[in-house]
Amino acid sequence: MNQDTPAGPAPRRLAVRGDLLDFTADPGWAVEPGAAARFRPDHWLLVEDGRVVGAEPTDAALDASWLRVDERGRLVMPGFIDTHVHAPQLDVIASFGTELLEWLETYTFPAEGLYADAGEAVRGSALFLDSLLASGTTSALVFPTVHKVSAEALFEAAEARGMRLLAGKVLMDRHAPEGLRDDVAQAEADCVDLIERFHGRARLSYAVTPRFAATSTREQLAMAGRLCASYPGVYMQTHVAENRAEVRWMAELFPEARSYLDIYARHGLVTDRSVFAHGIWLDDADRAVLREAGASIAFCPSSNMFIGSGLFDWLQAEAQGVRVNVGTDVGGGTGLSMLRTLADGYKVQALVPTLVDGATDRKLTAWKGLYAATRGAAEQLHLSREIGSFDAGTLADFVVWDWAMGPVATRRLEVARGLHERLFAWMTLGDERNVASAWVAGVERYRRPPLAREAG
Ligand code: GUN
Ligand code: ZN
């Protein structure tokens, strides 16, 4: 729902009928998911005061106290969690012709400069969050810009929509244009103020956000590490080992570090609340550091292909104990749809020369992809009691999906045999057009405008 159509409070009791899918555990890589996938076709999802309380078959008697929303024939899943995305970069999606470092200079930094203006930050944050919801994503770990006002605007817009959001002012005190640089003292003061005002307020958490090691001095990275150590529960997000020229530049800038990841490790930035975007060009020792710390990688396949960064080997990372979740990385990525991103993830995994000996189940199943984008991300973020599944007690952040849009997908779904084949076809062919409605804590926040055939 756009902000000009205010949503009312959550109904006291809400029952939503559809094909319910969520996960109780990691399904692994097999096409047979075992008990980890919980598919309950044609059930009522029951919500009280904005929280999931259970699910019942449709022959259960529901008294008049339940507000019923009948979405039979549609898929109902927990909202997706995008673990790496840049709010101000809607303006640079689909920019032609560059790799990472030139892409930043040519397109991205100029676009982010606009957010020095509070009005732009407010406008952009609203568009960004409404677009996330319309894509089926109800929670995200987000980069705004270096400007304090961009983080304030994003937090306030998320709070107004009741969303679970993690974000923090971007830290950049060098190698960025005028107007996009902070300094250590000002950045620290701004972060402290933002943490004190927003971390733990409503459904918001603060994430300390050095953009990447190239745009922060050692002093600024040390300050970021101090913030992580002194404020329990804050997160840390950044980029690592995305592009080969970037990796070479880091080695020049930080000759004392063993590797690009080691720059962060030396500053106390690798913890079980750290999410590193990309991680394509890491080595075994780096992966051991991530595993030991319980840190994760946000795999961003759309972006990695679009800006030509490389092929991330999810299977290898997991075989070495590294946790992996999934991000769109808009504007490097070409859209906010996690379905399209997972479909891209499948293609990357199909191409990557996987380095795991004896691996036979190397393709990205629908189970693994959908788990990673829901419960897997929630667990990594220590939020699985709030989001990512239909466990009783979680907040009712869910999305109602059409299984198919258009004649090609409709036909493909008709002939699909078995649940995995259906889900995989949906994951591969679906996108934001398949989102019928998106709900946050039991409140409908987005409903697709009527299709011509429905309106007629
Ligand atoms: N590395 C540093 N900044 C960025 C960014 O905005 N996008 C991506 N994809 N990589 C980065
Ligand atoms: Zn990014």
Side-chain angles (χ1 to χ4, degrees), residues 84-86 89 100 103-104 143 211 238-239 242 277-278 300 303 307 328-333:
H84 184 74
V85 60
H86 300 255
Q89 293 182 16
L100 176 65
W103 177 85
L104 286 171
F143 279 57
R211 179 177 211 112
T238 190
H239 298 86
E242 175 177 5
H278 312 298
C300 304
S303 166
I307 50 180
T328 59
D329 194 25
V330 158

Side-chain angles (χ1 to χ4, degrees), residues 210-275:
R211 179 177 211 112
F212 64 159
T215 43
S216 288
T217 56
R218 289 172 185 74
E219 293 70 30
Q220 190 171 59
L221 293 173
M223 182 274 284
R226 281 199 306 277
L227 290 175
C228 292
S230 25
Y231 289 93
V234 300
Y235 295 83
M236 198 294 299
Q237 58 176 346
T238 190
H239 298 86
V240 76
E242 175 177 5
N243 164 291
R244 279 181 281 197
E246 172 212 22
V247 174
R248 284 194 296 273
W249 190 27
M250 298 299 168
E252 286 165 24
L253 292 173
F254 296 90
E256 71 278 19
R258 191 201 70 80
S259 67
Y260 186 170
L261 183 74
D262 187 47
I263 302 166
Y264 298 124
R266 285 163 171 262
H267 293 97
L269 295 170
V270 186
T271 76
D272 66 348
R273 288 178 179 266
S274 306
V275 178

Side-chain angles (χ1 to χ4, degrees), residues 93-157:
I93 290 181
S95 291
F96 178 77
T98 54
E99 284 202 6
L100 176 65
L101 299 174
E102 193 189 343
W103 177 85
L104 286 171
E105 293 286 337
T106 311
Y107 300 114
T108 307
F109 287 156
E112 293 191 9
L114 299 182
Y115 279 58
D117 175 62
E120 267 304 300
V122 168
R123 179 206 58 77
S125 299
L127 176 67
F128 172 73
L129 293 179
D130 288 335
S131 305
L132 270 189
L133 292 170
S135 305
T137 297
T138 50
S139 288
L141 177 54
V142 187
F143 279 57
T145 68
V146 71
H147 313 101
K148 184 181 186 186
V149 69
S150 75
E152 291 168 328
L154 188 60
F155 280 133
E156 279 162 9

Side-chain angles (χ1 to χ4, degrees), residues 376-392:
E379 287 186 351
Q380 183 56 33
L381 297 171
H382 308 272
L383 291 172
S384 58
R385 283 191 290 184
E386 179 187 328
I387 55 174
S389 78
F390 292 144
D391 285 356

